[in-house]
Amino acid sequence: MRRSTHTETKTRPAPCLEESAFLEMSRTTDLLSRRVSLLLRTEELSSTQYNVLRILRGVQEGLPCGEIGSRMITRDPDITRLLDRLEKRSLISRCRETKDRRMVMARITPEGLQLLSRMDEPVREAHHAQLGHLGREHLKALIGLLQTARAEVV
Amino acid sequence: MRRSTHTETKTRPAPCLEESAFLEMSRTTDLLSRRVSLLLRTEELSSTQYNVLRILRGVQEGLPCGEIGSRMITRDPDITRLLDRLEKRSLISRCRETKDRRMVMARITPEGLQLLSRMDEPVREAHHAQLGHLGREHLKALIGLLQTARAEVV
DNA sequence: TGACAATATTCGTTATAACGGATATATTTA
DNA sequence: TAAATATATCCGTTATAACGAATATTGTCA
């Protein structure tokens, strides 16, 4: 036991449950992400880029740049450059919308889809290896709690 | 209902529970972090820097640089520069250990402690506002699951 | 003592996130 | 039509993460 309980309570307040939950979440996400990042590096992809590609895979019609930005709280000019980099590698394509010609739709290309599908199996394996020990019930409980947590965040 | 079920199953495999759990975790951490990042910005602190300061607050004796690095999987040279920036602002101090003179101990300074304590209340409020609706029982369950998840990660 | 290992540093590089500001284009509305 | 708005872009800036390579200092061990 430490002798300096007195000063410690002054400098380091006892964490409340909400804070602990956040810390646990950060640590766990961090730890689990490491393995995925290693996988991504083999394809020279940042996790932001991977993220965008997966979002676009979910939407065959494509998404306007602004929509992508709002899903990640990134400023418009930076989304443009992010998409620039992906387009240069032919992983996405852009074309101006015919209806509202202000908008530019970003779509994932066949190359992009291929890249993603190359990653699918290893990524899934990584997650299975890292979280499989929890078992179905615990996993479901965890997912449910996280969804609940996010549902009411302002 | 979409017509292209056929192609979709090919391009986007149904997510397994482990993968969903990871995604939920990432999204939630991401969402919750935004508010904290805004707070940190008022002190011109990156979340990595905040992280290091909090680690050091927990260890009055200080930590060797390498130890800090291993807690965050960052290469040694980059830790050095990270600490450089913090030292320049007098938030930490460094001094060579007398026993093993290869090691340099990093300690948080009174200024660093002050800064942290300025953040404590707002950070806690942010977490409370964002996660308080879960209630004690759910929070405890969440914390427990996350710890279990991390316990066996290789 | 001499060879090796451990620790931290310095230096240089590249890519990117994040920000501010301005501009081009197209749409909507007064 | 003219003004205001929305969308995306271009430009430049700074700070930093991430990587490789080399060096200095100290400790350990044959």
Side-chain angles (χ1 to χ4, degrees):
Chain A
M1 184 184 166
R2 299 254 180 76
R3 204 165 301 145
S4 51
T5 330
H6 177 229
T7 36
E8 282 203 13
T9 39
K10 262 189 95 175
T11 56
R12 186 168 30 141
C16 60
L17 279 180
E18 289 85 354
E19 215 168 355
S20 306
F22 174 73
L23 280 180
E24 289 296 332
M25 221 181 289
S26 307
R27 290 189 192 118
T28 311
T29 307
D30 204 54
L31 185 59
L32 296 178
S33 301
R34 280 174 199 163
R35 192 145 156 187
V36 180
S37 295
L38 286 183
L39 283 175
L40 293 182
R41 195 171 310 154
T42 67
E43 299 281 356
E44 314 218 31
L45 218 55
S46 77
S47 63
T48 315
Q49 294 173 334
Y50 182 59
N51 213 345
V52 169
L53 289 182
R54 284 182 64 134
I55 289 176
L56 289 180
R57 177 161 68 174
V59 192
Q60 308 280 2
E61 324 83 77
L63 279 182
C65 299
E67 246 299 295
I68 301 175
S70 70
R71 296 202 191 187
M72 339 196 311
I73 307 261
T74 304
R75 286 160 33 82
D76 275 356
D78 298 321
I79 290 290
T80 297
R81 286 201 257 216
L82 177 55
L83 294 180
D84 284 348
R85 293 188 278 268
L86 290 174
E87 192 177 25
K88 195 179 296 172
R89 292 170 61 182
S90 309
L91 298 175
I92 65 151
S93 66
R94 284 187 276 199
C95 67
R96 198 161 284 278
E97 191 63 3
T98 43
K99 288 186 178 180
D100 186 338
R101 291 185 40 74
R102 285 172 302 184
M103 292 199 282
V104 172
M105 290 303 234
R107 283 196 195 77
I108 190 168
T109 61
E111 286 94 323
L113 286 173
Q114 263 182 31
L115 193 162
L116 281 191
S117 70
R118 272 204 301 280
M119 307 291 308
D120 283 337
E121 203 38 42
V123 166
R124 175 170 307 206
E125 269 171 27
H127 289 139
H128 185 75
Q130 296 194 114
L131 286 179
H133 69 278
L134 274 181
R136 288 185 64 80
E137 290 317 309
H138 280 164
L139 283 172
K140 282 188 192 171
L142 179 55
I143 292 171
L145 283 168
L146 290 168
Q147 286 172 342
T148 313
R150 227 172 42 252
E152 292 198 33
V153 169
V154 281
Chain B
M1 183 182 169
R2 299 253 181 74
R3 204 165 301 144
S4 52
T5 331
H6 177 229
T7 36
E8 281 204 14
T9 39
K10 261 190 96 173
T11 57
R12 188 171 25 144
C16 58
L17 279 180
E18 289 86 353
E19 214 169 355
S20 306
F22 174 74
L23 280 180
E24 288 297 331
M25 223 181 287
S26 306
R27 290 190 192 117
T28 312
T29 307
D30 203 55
L31 186 59
L32 296 178
S33 301
R34 280 174 200 162
R35 191 145 156 187
V36 180
S37 296
L38 286 182
L39 284 175
L40 294 182
R41 196 172 309 155
T42 67
E43 298 282 356
E44 314 219 30
L45 217 55
S46 77
S47 62
T48 316
Q49 292 173 335
Y50 182 60
N51 213 344
V52 169
L53 290 182
R54 284 181 65 133
I55 289 176
L56 289 179
R57 177 161 68 173
V59 192
Q60 308 279 3
E61 323 83 77
L63 278 183
C65 299
E67 246 300 296
I68 301 174
S70 70
R71 294 202 193 187
M72 339 197 311
I73 306 261
T74 303
R75 287 159 32 82
D76 275 356
D78 298 320
I79 290 290
T80 297
R81 288 200 255 216
L82 178 55
L83 294 180
D84 284 347
R85 293 188 278 267
L86 290 173
E87 191 176 26
K88 196 178 295 173
R89 292 171 61 183
S90 308
L91 299 175
I92 66 150
S93 66
R94 283 188 276 198
C95 68
R96 199 160 284 277
E97 190 63 4
T98 43
K99 289 185 179 182
D100 185 340
R101 290 185 41 75
R102 285 173 301 183
M103 293 199 282
V104 173
M105 290 305 235
R107 283 195 195 76
I108 191 168
T109 61
E111 286 95 324
L113 285 173
Q114 262 182 33
L115 194 162
L116 281 192
S117 70
R118 270 203 303 281
M119 307 291 308
D120 282 336
E121 203 39 41
V123 166
R124 175 169 307 206
E125 269 171 28
H127 289 140
H128 185 75
Q130 295 193 114
L131 286 178
H133 68 279
L134 274 181
R136 290 186 63 80
E137 290 318 309
H138 280 164
L139 283 172
K140 282 188 192 172
L142 179 56
I143 293 171
L145 282 168
L146 291 168
Q147 287 173 341
T148 312
R150 227 172 42 253
E152 292 197 33
V153 169
V154 279

